[in-house]
Amino acid sequence: MAGFSASRLSDEVARGLKRGDPAAQAEAYRLLAPAVMGMAQRILGDRGLAEEVVQDTFISVIERANTLKKPKAAVGWVRQTAVNHCLMRLRSPWLQRRDGAAPEDAVDASQDGPREENLRDLERALLRLGPETRMVLWLHDVEGYTHKEIARVFGKTESFSKSQLARGYEKLTVGAARADRAPADDAGIESGGRNDGFAKAANVRPACLS
């Protein structure tokens, strides 16, 4: 479940994107749309909104590609465009009203790997955080944003970023402790099931997602 750090665009594709070459636009979409979707889905906790972010991100990218100055900056530029579209939706009254009620299908169960169960449970834990806290945590621990960069995204101070990150870690730790203490019958699952996976995953600093 890596972020944009695993995404690459060749200089040739980036230059073609800048020129408005349809083949380069299609290739950029193929290579970067999964990363945009993954980030948006986990920040917003809603598949439909994430799909809107993907669409709007690439519309913006195609319309403004001629402003791209350096081909090597293309991936970061696409990521920042997607972050801006996520923030627009995160601040919508509708999303704030449904905070904490993220649907199960917001968690992508298609990831394979030795820590698959634990990471799925950690994703569910992240979806229980407030939207701003979740976004700060994702940008900092997965995308590698600094507190200064996060503050710039939100138009706030670095203290805001640091406090949101600390709040997120605290809530994940408390949630893990409660899950670890909960009897299997109360949780509605057999002992050794996903509740155990959640307890193990949430005790790991979310940077493990990268």
Side-chain angles (χ1 to χ4, degrees):
M1 196 176 61
F4 273 82
S5 59
S7 301
R8 297 287 185 274
L9 276 188
S10 68
D11 287 355
E12 181 182 358
V13 171
R15 286 192 292 267
L17 185 63
K18 181 179 175 68
R19 293 194 307 268
D21 178 13
Q25 293 171 352
E27 182 67 0
Y29 181 88
R30 184 185 71 82
L31 293 172
L32 300 181
V36 174
M37 182 67 184
M39 180 180 72
Q41 193 167 324
R42 292 175 179 95
I43 287 175
L44 299 172
D46 185 281
R47 190 183 303 276
L49 289 178
E51 290 172 347
E52 289 179 9
V53 167
V54 173
Q55 176 178 304
D56 290 352
T57 293
F58 282 95
I59 288 175
S60 297
V61 165
I62 289 171
E63 288 180 345
R64 300 179 56 215
N66 64 320
T67 66
L68 181 63
K69 295 181 179 179
K70 298 180 181 179
K72 293 187 182 300
V75 172
W77 175 57
V78 173
R79 179 178 67 175
Q80 188 58 51
T81 301
V83 167
N84 292 341
H85 281 292
C86 284
L87 186 60
M88 288 171 56
R89 286 163 176 79
L90 179 147
R91 287 176 168 168
S92 72
W94 178 83
L95 185 63
Q96 293 175 7
R97 285 197 298 271
R98 64 175 288 282
D99 178 26
E104 283 294 305
D105 68 357
V107 177
D108 184 358
S110 66
Q111 303 296 322
D112 295 325
R115 294 183 296 175
E116 179 184 5
E117 263 326 274
N118 285 355
L119 291 179
R120 287 186 196 173
D121 288 333
L122 183 52
E123 286 186 85
R124 291 187 176 89
L126 292 177
L127 289 173
R128 297 187 184 100
L129 300 177
E132 286 192 341
T133 302
R134 185 167 61 239
M135 185 169 183
V136 169
L137 201 152
W138 181 270
L139 292 180
H140 184 273
D141 279 11
V142 180
E143 299 298 341
Y145 276 51
T146 65
H147 288 298
K148 184 176 182 179
E149 289 170 332
I150 293 172
R152 190 179 302 123
V153 167
F154 282 89
K156 298 187 178 181
T157 65
E158 291 183 47
S159 295
F160 163 81
S161 176
K162 293 175 182 178
S163 64
Q164 289 291 330
L165 194 66
R167 183 179 304 173
Y169 290 156
E170 181 180 5
K171 287 186 177 181
L172 288 179
T173 301
V174 170
R178 289 175 178 171
D180 205 29
R181 291 195 302 267
D185 289 344
D186 290 346
I189 57 176
E190 296 180 0
S191 179
R194 291 197 172 187
N195 214 33
D196 292 338
F198 162 72
K200 293 174 183 176
N203 272 316
V204 178
R205 178 181 171 89
C208 71
L209 291 176
S210 61

